[in-house]
């Protein structure tokens, strides 16, 4: 029903959505948890925001089970500690966060529109003339117009512990600094 929260609990973990309108009956699959907030204690939108917070997400990560597909269990979800300010403060927090959510959503839409415009311009200004082989266009290989080198691998002897630049010799953590 309206103000229920759906939380993913298998596979993609911890994504929360607030039901804002209820236009038709539906069933939920085992991979979702239905959370029905007690409105006398918690504002549903506040609870949804908290479930999306880094604190809740960290908790979800700590209680998952499964190897290939991770799962959250309802018993563990019930144990999540949630600090609750008074209802008016919860609503004020929701108002601020939702205005930021709207601003972020609008910004993401603008960025996507700019990316589409950039790709269109790239095609028009660079790729289309190449395809039509316009006059005054020469064709070269990358090797003709640049010098290509590979990075230099540093040994432990070449590194220091408190350098300005980290050395990444492979893997995901720095091997040292220079």
């Amino acid at each position: 029903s309206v103000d229920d929260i759906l939380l993913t609990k298998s596979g993609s973990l911890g994504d929360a959505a607030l039901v804002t309108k209820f236009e038709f009956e539906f069933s939920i699959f085992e991979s979702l948890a239905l959370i029905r907030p007690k409105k006398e204690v918690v504002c549903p939108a506040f609870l949804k925001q908290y479930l999306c917070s880094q604190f809740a997400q960290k908790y979800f990560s700590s209680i998952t089970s499964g190897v290939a597909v991770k799962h959250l269990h309802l018993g563990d979800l019930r144990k999540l500690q949630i600090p609750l300010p008074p209802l008016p403060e919860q609503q004020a927090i929701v108002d601020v966060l939702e205005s930021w959510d709207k601003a972020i959503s609008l910004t993401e839409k603008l960025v996507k529109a700019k990316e589409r415009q950039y790709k269109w311009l790239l095609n028009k200004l660079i790729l289309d003339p190449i395809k039509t082989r316009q006059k005054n266009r020469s064709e070269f290989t990358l090797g003709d117009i640049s010098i290509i080198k590979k990075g230099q691998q540093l040994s432990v002897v070449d590194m220091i512990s408190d350098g300005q630049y980290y050395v990444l010799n492979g893997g995901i953590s720095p091997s040292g600094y220079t």
Side-chain angles (χ1 to χ4, degrees):
S1 62
V2 172
D3 290 335
D4 284 350
I5 297 169
L6 301 174
L7 180 77
T8 57
K9 64 181 209 68
S10 293
S12 171
L13 300 176
D15 292 332
L18 180 66
V19 177
T20 56
K21 57 184 173 179
F22 191 72
E23 297 175 347
F24 54 88
E25 294 287 326
F26 63 92
S27 299
I28 61 172
F29 191 59
E30 178 274 333
S31 61
L32 287 177
L34 173 69
I35 301 169
R36 185 157 287 150
K38 296 177 181 176
K39 294 179 190 174
E40 63 278 4
V41 180
V42 63
C43 171
F46 176 85
L47 181 55
K48 182 260 181 189
Q49 290 283 0
Y50 187 82
L51 292 172
C52 293
S53 74
Q54 65 181 357
F55 308 106
Q57 295 297 314
K58 186 175 179 182
Y59 176 74
F60 297 153
S61 291
S62 74
I63 63 169
T64 58
S65 65
V67 178
V69 178
K70 300 289 185 185
H71 299 280
L72 296 173
H73 297 282
L74 295 181
D76 294 325
L77 285 175
R78 288 183 180 99
K79 296 175 187 173
L80 173 62
Q81 296 286 314
I82 301 175
L84 285 180
L87 281 169
E89 190 175 336
Q90 290 178 36
Q91 188 57 54
I93 291 168
V94 166
D95 292 342
V96 169
L97 294 176
E98 285 181 350
S99 70
W100 276 99
D101 285 341
K102 288 176 187 170
I104 290 168
S105 177
L106 178 60
T107 302
E108 288 171 345
K109 288 178 184 175
L110 289 171
V111 167
K112 286 181 182 174
K114 294 289 184 183
E115 287 172 347
R116 284 192 304 271
Q117 184 179 24
Y118 172 80
K119 286 178 182 177
W120 182 85
L121 283 170
L122 176 67
N123 283 330
K124 286 294 171 201
L125 298 175
I126 294 179
L127 301 178
D128 282 356
I130 291 171
K131 287 178 190 171
T132 57
R133 302 280 184 231
Q134 291 181 346
K135 288 185 178 182
N136 301 326
R137 298 264 178 168
S138 302
E139 192 168 306
F140 297 90
T141 66
L142 183 59
D144 292 337
I145 62 171
S146 60
I147 298 169
I148 303 171
K149 294 182 178 182
K150 75 174 213 149
Q152 179 182 3
Q153 185 166 354
L154 300 178
S155 69
V156 175
V157 177
D158 301 317
M159 293 183 252
I160 56 176
S161 61
D162 59 350
Q164 184 176 1
Y165 304 102
Y166 70 85
V167 176
L168 194 60
N169 280 331
I172 58 174
S173 2
S175 306
Y177 295 84
T178 184

